[in-house]
Amino acid sequence: MTERRPSDSPSPPFDVAGAYVPTVKERPLSRGGERLRESVADWSAGLAAVSDLPATVRQDVADALDLARRFNAAVVRPQALHIDRMALDNPSFVPNELIRRANEWGLFTLWLPALFGGKGWNFLSLYAFLEEVSTACVGVANVIGVHYMGVATLTASWNLRLAERVFTDVCRGERIGEPCLISLAMNEPRAESEVAEVELLDRAELGTRSVRQADGSHVLDGHKTFVHNGPVSSWHMVVACEDLGRPADTLVVLAVRAGAQGCRVGATERKMGQRACPVSELLFERCVVPPDQVAFDGRATAGFSHSHREVAQTLLDYVVSCTRAGVAAFSAGVARGAFDAARDYAARKSVPGGRVIEQQWAQALLADMGIHASLARQAYLESATANGLGGLFRMMFFRPLYWADQLMPMGVWRFAARRILRWPEATRWFQRRFLDAQPPEWQRLTSGLASMAKVAASDFAVRNAGLAIELTGPDGLRQEMGMEKRLRDAKVLQVYEGTNELNRVNFFKCRVRPDEGVRVFVREADA
């Protein structure tokens, strides 16, 4: 009997009719798919990043962690419970003092490219910062993180001229002491999780319509809900459609200035958790959006090799791949904060048999909590590094551009780069390169890993918050302990940026299903 060598191929699979069925690894790949395979990012984005990302990325992460710890000590911990109580008593409460302090610390510009006037820190360090702040209060972390969700949406449109204008406004707001934040308005009263998937958009009950005018402007009418930072943002990135009957084929992204005629902030939501981040409605009535504030519409995709529908999904995947990883970073912070608080309580609390931390049951419980916090971090880091390798901010890690942004004299860099950014053909080139030519393999990887991270980390956060209350007992229910606040904050993480149920299906779509013939997002009643 001949012994099979490791290099011998196994028998090929066949379907029930005897036809050969290629495995996933045998299917032809695009050029980007080959790069994905060669980089081993498909196996581990974290491992691939060891050689692919600039070495100074690690220093940015260390600096971000140090900054977050100082910000927590000086600003967040002294105010977190007070802000939570104020928002409970008055749902329309807005933490203006907190936002002003964050602006003074430069937190709304640190992760903007230096050519726009930002500090140019890399986005991997943003995730580390958000996790660390979330150990003290995830609502405060959300105020900062949601701003960069707006940044991500504008960046994903690759409209360079508009990005320069809006990001320059943000940097100016820091200099003059008037915070300039960016929000994202996607959800609607009858359409929430559906808005991030084109398969669901056409079945969603949408009501926000944007009508393109002959001069290229848009007239916006509708109602957006659950807009985080809605009452305090200076710019709103609004996702709408031109035809309510064909939303995925007519999706548009608009930048609307707060206070523009026809745009007003509606009611503030009364929330169970994360009360430090105000959430409101946005109402639009014949709101005229000038042509130079249209980030993405049908004109951008004219002449593309892919349909507007496909390009719209690419844009949405760019955004949620970043933001869901951000929610996972929030979750890792909540999980670790609950673990730290429970461990500190167990070390202080005495029972007849000694301190609680010396009891075996408590040690096993704390070990589980530590494992959950560590796994939540690994999940979001895997997703975030994939985004740096082949997702939204891979351009920021392109070595020549990265080092130019880091090392070139700022006056020279801005003079040269901004002239390129203002050139209409530059926007056209970037949109073709990053929207029309995004390899599907990378798109599936980044979107799938983001959903994986969001589901796993948010479930770990809820589990740790519950275990912390289990360990502390009646003491943990006192408001001044902050334990019950962590549980309220954690439950929200399972709902926004797509419910965990939707994200499970998206992970199946991107990383599990064997081929595209397997339908997804199909209601049982419609099957």
Side-chain angles (χ1 to χ4, degrees), residues 414-460:
R414 289 180 185 169
F415 178 84
R418 289 194 173 188
R419 274 149 184 78
I420 296 174
L421 296 180
R422 292 168 184 165
W423 185 38
E425 283 304 310
T427 287
R428 186 69 176 167
W429 184 89
F430 274 85
Q431 288 178 334
R432 280 188 178 275
R433 176 66 183 83
F434 293 103
L435 289 176
D436 192 32
Q438 168 71 336
E441 294 84 2
W442 280 100
Q443 191 170 337
R444 288 192 292 266
L445 176 72
T446 55
S447 179
L449 289 181
S451 286
M452 175 276 294
K454 194 267 183 185
V455 170
S458 60
D459 284 351
F460 283 140

Side-chain angles (χ1 to χ4, degrees), residues 162-487:
L162 182 56
E164 182 199 10
R165 174 181 174 185
V166 174
F167 296 163
T168 300
D169 265 7
V170 175
C171 295
R172 179 177 178 274
E174 179 185 298
R175 290 195 303 272
I176 66 176
E178 297 179 4
C180 178
L181 279 65
I182 309 171
S183 77
L184 172 59
M186 289 183 69
N187 296 332
E188 299 191 15
R190 298 191 177 186
E192 296 172 15
S193 293
E194 299 99 322
V195 294
E197 299 290 340
V198 296
E199 291 98 330
L200 297 174
L201 264 178
D202 289 336
R203 299 201 297 266
E205 297 183 50
L206 300 174
T208 302
R209 187 183 181 201
S210 181
V211 180
R212 192 192 319 174
Q213 308 299 300
D215 63 353
S217 64
H218 279 248
V219 176
L220 185 62
D221 286 280
H223 180 188
K224 292 292 185 179
T225 57
F226 299 109
V227 182
H228 290 75
N229 283 349
V232 296
S233 291
S234 301
W235 285 95
H236 306 294
M237 299 304 303
V238 182
V239 178
C241 59
E242 296 184 58
D243 185 344
L244 295 177
R246 299 184 306 116
D249 297 311
T250 61
L251 185 126
V252 301
V253 180
L254 311 170
V256 180
R257 199 72 159 91
Q261 186 172 357
C263 169
R264 63 185 178 88
V265 176
T268 301
E269 300 289 346
R270 188 181 186 95
K271 298 198 299 175
M272 176 179 71
Q274 300 189 27
R275 293 173 178 150
C277 183
V279 177
S280 70
E281 301 174 320
L282 278 181
L283 306 176
F284 303 100
E285 185 175 357
R286 301 290 300 169
C287 179
V288 177
V289 182
D292 59 356
Q293 291 175 211
V294 178
F296 173 84
D297 65 3
R299 293 172 301 171
T301 59
F304 279 8
S305 60
H306 292 87
S307 68
H308 185 88
R309 179 191 195 90
E310 293 171 313
V311 175
Q313 183 64 71
T314 299
L315 187 154
L316 293 173
D317 279 343
Y318 271 136
V319 176
V320 298
S321 294
C322 292
T323 58
R324 287 170 180 166
V327 175
F330 293 158
S331 302
V334 173
R336 186 158 61 87
F339 164 66
D340 289 342
R343 183 179 55 184
D344 291 347
Y345 174 89
R348 296 192 312 268
K349 184 71 172 178
S350 294
V351 293
R355 290 184 300 165
V356 169
I357 202 167
E358 293 167 343
Q359 311 302 307
Q360 193 171 71
W361 67 267
Q363 293 171 357
L365 186 150
L366 288 168
D368 275 347
M369 294 180 71
I371 290 169
H372 297 161
S374 295
L375 289 176
R377 177 183 297 156
Q378 297 309 311
Y380 85 71
L381 284 175
E382 182 74 358
S383 175
T385 50
N387 284 324
L389 294 170
L392 179 60
F393 46 87
R394 71 182 186 274
M395 187 64 182
M396 301 173 189
F397 290 121
F398 178 56
R399 290 179 187 273
L401 183 60
Y402 177 87
W403 288 114
D405 197 52
Q406 294 286 317
L407 302 177
M408 188 178 292
M410 195 48 57
V412 176
W413 175 233
R414 289 180 185 169
F415 178 84
R418 289 194 173 188
R419 274 149 184 78
I420 296 174
L421 296 180
R422 292 168 184 165
W423 185 38
E425 283 304 310
T427 287
R428 186 69 176 167
W429 184 89
F430 274 85
Q431 288 178 334
R432 280 188 178 275
R433 176 66 183 83
F434 293 103
L435 289 176
D436 192 32
Q438 168 71 336
E441 294 84 2
W442 280 100
Q443 191 170 337
R444 288 192 292 266
L445 176 72
T446 55
S447 179
L449 289 181
S451 286
M452 175 276 294
K454 194 267 183 185
V455 170
S458 60
D459 284 351
F460 283 140
V462 171
R463 181 65 177 143
N464 269 18
L467 288 174
I469 290 178
E470 181 180 323
L471 185 144
T472 54
D475 288 344
L477 297 178
R478 303 205 316 264
Q479 195 264 347
E480 63 269 21
M481 285 281 290
M483 294 292 190
E484 55 83 29
K485 174 183 180 299
R486 284 192 170 90
L487 182 57

